[in-house]
């Protein structure tokens, strides 16, 4: 794995790497997740974090919201790292935060040596999130710049585990709708009270095209009116209330 990682991930500089990258598809849940993780970072000096959810169509974890990781590192976390023994282990014990120090040999593992340390991370944790039915709905990864675990770190993460699980579960449910980017865009405008002509003017679409998109939205959401669609969208975090 080592040589492949070095070749794929151009990790040449260190320190803070990226600003927060919101996922526009789920603005409400993204915003709430960001608030929770920023709260955690105010109590524990995490320099990077990412919350993922299980996509209903692919069955794979996808990032919902993140800060501090390079895009290629996020791709790795939700790609090759998913098969790492650490991730497999933590998926069997949801709600428990595993730090590097908890996994024998991880600090010398290829992931730590070639991906995380070159980015300025010296410790970190991963935590699986499972819904009430026992199915995995999400995962959280957080990194620290110093090689030790702050005394309050585990308690802080435990206190946030259920809220993060709820957000991941809501997003996983929303992903099952299968809305296209254009449909989500139109749904957001419906939530703002826009009429079909107004949406058409804003997005440079014909009225008939907008009408077709609205029909598809209603069908996918299993509702019959625009008001119902907006209400469901708010509940699933697809739009802001």
């Amino acid at each position: 794995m080592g040589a492949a990682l070095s070749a794929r991930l151009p990790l040449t500089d260190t320190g803070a790497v990226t600003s927060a990258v919101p996922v526009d598809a789920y603005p409400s849940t993204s915003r709430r997740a960001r608030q929770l993780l920023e709260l955690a970072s105010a109590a524990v000096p995490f320099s990077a974090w990412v919350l993922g959810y299980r996509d209903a169509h692919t069955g794979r974890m996808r990032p919902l919201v993140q800060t501090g990781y390079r895009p290629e590192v996020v791709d790795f976390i939700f790609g090759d790292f998913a098969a790492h023994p650490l991730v497999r282990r933590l998926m069997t014990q949801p709600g428990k935060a595993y730090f590097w120090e908890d996994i024998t040999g991880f600090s010398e593992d290829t992931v730590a040596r070639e991906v995380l340390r070159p980015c300025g991370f010296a410790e970190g944790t991963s935590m699986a999130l499972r819904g009430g039915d026992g199915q995995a709905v999400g995962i959280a990864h957080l990194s620290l710049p110093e090689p030790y675990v702050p005394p309050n770190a585990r308690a802080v993460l435990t206190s946030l585990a259920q809220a993060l699980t709820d957000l991941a579960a809501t997003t996983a449910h929303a992903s099952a709708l299968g809305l296209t980017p254009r449909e989500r865009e139109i749904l957001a405008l419906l939530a703002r009270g826009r009429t079909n002509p107004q949406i058409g003017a804003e997005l440079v679409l014909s009225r008939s095209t907008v009408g077709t998109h609205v029909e598809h939205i209603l069908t996918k959401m299993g509702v019959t009116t625009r008001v119902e669609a907006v209400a469901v969208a708010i509940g699933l975090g697809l739009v802001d209330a």
Side-chain angles (χ1 to χ4, degrees):
M1 180 187 291
L5 285 182
S6 298
R8 289 202 305 273
L9 301 177
L11 308 177
T12 55
D13 58 327
T14 60
V17 287
T18 63
S19 59
V21 181
V23 178
D24 295 335
Y26 308 104
S28 181
T29 45
S30 294
R31 175 175 49 77
R32 285 181 282 166
R34 187 179 305 283
Q35 290 172 340
L36 286 174
L37 291 166
E38 287 176 349
L39 180 65
S41 296
V44 181
F46 293 114
S47 54
W49 42 255
V50 61
L51 175 66
Y53 68 95
R54 185 175 294 281
D55 183 271
H57 290 281
T58 65
R60 296 174 63 89
M61 294 291 178
R62 298 189 59 183
L64 173 63
V65 62
Q66 78 97 6
T67 196
Y69 295 117
R70 287 193 184 93
E72 63 268 23
V73 174
V74 175
D75 289 344
F76 171 77
I77 288 173
F78 289 91
D80 290 353
F81 190 48
H84 192 280
L86 167 61
V87 177
R88 291 178 177 173
R89 176 176 173 181
L90 69 90
M91 291 305 288
T92 67
Q93 298 189 46
K96 177 178 174 60
Y98 279 97
F99 285 83
W100 295 15
E101 69 176 24
D102 299 324
I103 308 298
T104 302
F106 184 78
S107 63
E108 300 306 318
D109 185 88
T110 305
V111 173
R113 291 198 325 267
E114 298 193 14
V115 179
L116 299 173
R117 282 207 181 93
C119 288
F121 308 127
E123 244 295 353
T125 183
S126 298
M127 181 169 60
L129 307 170
R130 287 186 182 273
D133 60 359
Q135 297 299 309
V137 295
I139 192 166
H141 299 281
L142 304 94
S143 292
L144 291 157
E146 301 296 333
Y148 69 90
V149 178
N152 63 334
R154 297 176 193 274
V156 168
L157 292 173
T158 298
S159 70
L160 296 178
Q162 187 57 56
L164 292 174
T165 298
D166 292 344
L167 290 173
T170 296
T171 308
H173 186 191
S175 72
L177 297 176
L179 297 177
T180 66
R182 176 65 84 185
E183 288 165 352
R184 291 194 297 265
E185 189 176 22
I186 290 175
L187 182 59
L189 293 174
L190 291 177
R192 297 174 192 167
R194 303 288 199 276
T195 64
N196 283 13
Q198 290 171 329
I199 293 172
E202 188 163 337
L203 300 181
V204 194
L205 298 172
S206 69
R207 292 188 184 185
S208 62
T209 297
V210 173
T212 298
H213 281 305
V214 171
E215 289 177 7
H216 290 167
I217 291 169
L218 299 183
T219 298
K220 289 181 178 181
M221 300 184 79
V223 298
T224 57
T225 69
R226 299 154 70 101
V227 172
E228 289 178 293
V230 171
V232 171
I234 290 172
L236 292 177
L238 289 165
V239 299
D240 284 314

